Amino acid sequence: MPSVILIGSQWGDEGKGKVTDFLAEKADLVVRYQGGNNAGHTVVVGEQEFKLHLIPSGILYPDKTCIIGNGVVIDPGVLLKELDYLIERGISIDNLRISERAHIIMPYHKKLDEVIEESKGASKIGTTKRGIGPAYMDKAARVGIRFVDLLDNEVFEELLEQNLREKNNLLAKVYDTDGFDKDDVMEEYLGFADRLRKYCADTSLIIHNALKAGKNVLFEGAQGTLLDLDHGTYPYVTSSHPIAGAACIGAGLGPTQISKVLGVVKAYTTRVGEGPFPTELNDEVGKHLGTVGFEFGTTTGRPRRCGWFDAVITKYTVRTSGLTSMAVTKLDVLTGLKTLKICTGYRWGNEIITEFPSNLKVLAQCEPIYEEMPGWSEDITSATKIEDLPVAAQNYLKRISELSEAPVSILGVGTRRSQTIIMDEMF
Ligand code: GDP
Ligand code: IMO
Ligand code: MG
């Protein structure tokens, strides 16, 4: 039963795409199970850089089955552009399968995402404006349109009509903006349906049969623990569940079929969008992390907020996702910093907090408690084993592992596949 769930352990952009691509070599199936094209996963192969939003990062190997599971919300126009982008670059997409139960992002979801954000003013979430939240809202409200519904003209027309009645009213009366014409949307979306029909499948069954046959299945999470709808920094979160438990729901299998959970952990912390971030740095070190780490959103291009490693967060991820190990990425970005700081807890008034708080007002007032460690100046980007690293880098890694309460099985020292050190094989 070789199945591994890979998740983001902080606020997203930990390097899930790179680690997924690396592990995909030994996987037979790579499965996305939540989120949508709010995700941006960067993979570097040779001289080429690929930015993937919806398609699993296993697609760059010709022989892997790549699945978009039922838990993902799909913008069909974006998906087709991504398929064309891959085809143009010589990548085969024949092995892509899309769950018939996945929900579809409609034009009104994108418009609502925009106007809802605007109406919030200073308390905006800073969403990617890709329609993710409104699409999941409709799913929960039981008025969503699934891939299987899009493929049936009659069902699609009926659902679209019902939805437009409500959404056009909402857009006009609450947000004072234009709605959508049914015929225009029908024409555009039936065109999408024609092109995507051949990828439609019962993907839960494909995964089930693969596991039964002893094949290796890798589940590629999007976003990160602190963007989780239940366990993140609510309301500054996304509308799906980036924690490991979601893989079972979003792909259609049971928890007994999972063998390992790998948390991808950046060697420091970043965040895109609004919301509290205790270890955020607005100084030269923050600038170093942003510049050397090239911390700009893959989807929106926004500069990412940067800060020191926060072990309160990673310990929380170990707990909420049951991590069996961690893949630490971007250790190379810390090279050149004289002293490194690791947050071990928060000071809140007279109290010391060591478990991640649910109250955002408290979190916003938390002062990080730091432990300091010496940095290193040697280039580590060609290290191929742990022993190649300067002792200070080895000690830093050991300390974040101890504080997070999980072993490190993979280490990243650069963007390329070859810049990956394996301590413990996943498959
Ligand atoms: P994801 O959303 O978790 O897949 O992460 P992103 O792709 O949005 O952001 C991670 C960025 O860091 C990408 O540009 C990767 O190419 C890059 N990256 C991943 N691992 C490493 C690493 O170990 N070192 C360096 N320097 N860059 C890395
Ligand atoms: P990957 O998979 C980083 C953030 C947005 C915003 C919040 C809600 O690349 O790690 P949404 O559009 O989802 O309603 O926005 O979530 N966000 C991400 N931040 N990486 C991501 O994905 C993100 N996906 C959403 O910036 O703060
Ligand atoms: Mg990203």
Side-chain angles (χ1 to χ4, degrees):
M1 204 180 48
S3 59
V4 179
I5 301 175
L6 175 154
I7 64 148
S9 307
Q10 292 144 323
W11 272 290
D13 303 324
E14 297 89 352
K16 297 176 293 292
K18 185 215 162 177
V19 180
T20 299
D21 167 73
F22 183 85
L23 294 177
E25 190 186 358
K26 289 194 184 162
D28 299 293
L29 263 71
V30 185
V31 185
R32 273 281 307 269
Y33 55 86
Q34 46 74 228
N37 61 306
N38 47 350
H41 296 182
T42 315
V43 180
V44 178
V45 183
E47 296 310 310
Q48 291 204 77
E49 185 183 71
F50 294 88
K51 290 183 188 297
L52 300 164
H53 300 283
L54 271 167
I55 300 176
S57 303
I59 199 76
L60 305 178
Y61 298 88
D63 56 338
K64 314 296 175 189
T65 300
C66 284
I67 288 177
I68 298 181
N70 56 276
V72 175
V73 285
I74 300 172
D75 184 327
V78 171
L79 176 59
L80 284 165
K81 277 203 189 110
E82 198 164 312
L83 291 175
D84 289 340
Y85 156 86
L86 289 170
I87 293 167
E88 268 166 35
R89 300 177 76 175
I91 305 296
S92 162
I93 49 157
D94 294 345
N95 296 329
L96 178 69
R97 299 290 176 271
I98 304 170
S99 168
E100 49 204 6
R101 293 172 185 271
H103 279 247
I104 300 296
I105 296 180
M106 301 296 295
Y108 44 82
H109 292 139
K110 292 184 264 191
K111 183 94 172 235
L112 281 166
D113 202 351
E114 260 174 49
V115 294
I116 292 172
E117 276 284 271
E118 267 163 36
S119 74
K120 285 191 167 136
S123 59
K124 73 174 195 289
I125 289 164
T127 74
T128 58
K129 299 193 178 159
R130 300 300 193 263
I132 308 295
Y136 279 116
M137 278 161 69
D138 276 2
K139 177 177 177 176
R142 295 158 297 183
V143 296
I145 301 178
R146 300 169 306 160
F147 190 34
V148 68
D149 305 321
L150 171 66
L151 298 180
D152 182 318
N153 287 14
E154 264 176 43
V155 173
F156 181 63
E157 184 166 12
E158 198 183 313
L159 289 174
L160 180 62
E161 218 166 74
Q162 281 170 16
N163 270 286
L164 283 182
R165 221 174 294 135
E166 185 220 341
K167 266 72 175 192
N168 281 347
N169 232 327
L170 182 65
L171 286 167
K173 296 195 177 139
V174 178
Y175 297 106
D176 192 24
T177 187
D178 295 337
F180 294 86
D181 176 70
K182 190 189 100 183
D183 293 335
D184 291 349
V185 180
M186 276 290 284
E187 194 188 331
E188 188 183 23
Y189 272 63
L190 292 182
F192 294 152
D194 277 344
R195 284 195 62 195
L196 291 172
R197 189 177 302 274
K198 63 178 172 200
Y199 302 107
C200 182
D202 180 347
T203 51
S204 159
L205 185 62
I206 297 176
I207 297 166
H208 178 75
N209 287 337
L211 287 171
K212 232 168 44 179
K215 293 198 170 155
N216 294 339
V217 182
L218 177 61
F219 297 91
E220 178 185 9
Q223 290 82 48
T225 299
L226 292 185
L227 291 172
D228 186 277
L229 188 54
D230 273 66
H231 299 282
T233 46
Y234 191 91
Y236 298 99
V237 293
T238 191
S239 299
S240 71
H241 295 283
I243 65 164
C248 291
I249 299 169
L253 75 163
T256 49
Q257 290 171 293
I258 303 300
S259 27
K260 292 177 184 170
V261 183
L262 175 69
V264 184
V265 173
K266 202 178 276 192
Y268 46 97
T269 315
T270 60
R271 170 164 212 179
V272 196
E274 310 300 318
F277 176 178
T279 65
E280 183 169 14
L281 294 167
N282 291 307
D283 60 4
E284 285 308 307
V285 176
K287 241 185 245 163
H288 169 106
L289 298 173
T291 314
V292 180
F294 197 70
E295 297 295 353
F296 295 92
T298 310
T299 299
T300 58
R302 289 177 287 177
R304 295 172 182 152
R305 300 156 66 192
C306 298
W308 290 118
F309 187 87
D310 187 337
V312 180
I313 294 175
T314 49
K315 199 173 70 164
Y316 181 59
T317 292
V318 170
R319 164 155 61 93
T320 51
S321 279
L323 297 193
T324 47
S325 68
M326 305 189 291
V328 176
T329 60
K330 304 190 94 159
L331 189 69
D332 54 297
V333 175
L334 299 180
T335 300
L337 293 171
K338 263 205 166 62
T339 304
L340 302 175
K341 292 188 188 177
I342 301 177
C343 172
T344 57
Y346 307 134
R347 191 166 285 110
W348 182 63
N350 294 326
E351 274 182 51
I352 304 282
I353 295 178
T354 54
E355 298 298 337
F356 199 77
S358 57
N359 185 333
L360 268 216
K361 210 166 105 186
V362 171
L363 184 66
Q365 293 163 351
C366 276
E367 289 291 326
I369 300 169
Y370 286 121
E371 200 174 281
E372 293 195 4
M373 297 189 78
W376 59 91
S377 54
E378 300 91 328
D379 177 20
I380 62 167
T381 55
S382 356
T384 55
K385 49 187 189 310
I386 289 296
E387 297 74 45
D388 293 344
L389 299 174
V391 173
Q394 292 187 35
N395 287 341
Y396 180 77
L397 208 56
K398 215 190 286 168
R399 192 64 187 136
I400 63 179
S401 169
E402 276 167 6
L403 289 167
S404 309
E405 298 177 6
V408 178
S409 54
I410 299 175
L411 175 66
V413 292
T415 56
R416 294 166 184 277
R417 280 179 181 164
S418 59
Q419 292 173 307
T420 312
I421 301 175
I422 296 293
M423 284 88 109
D424 187 16
E425 295 283 351
M426 286 296 112
F427 294 112

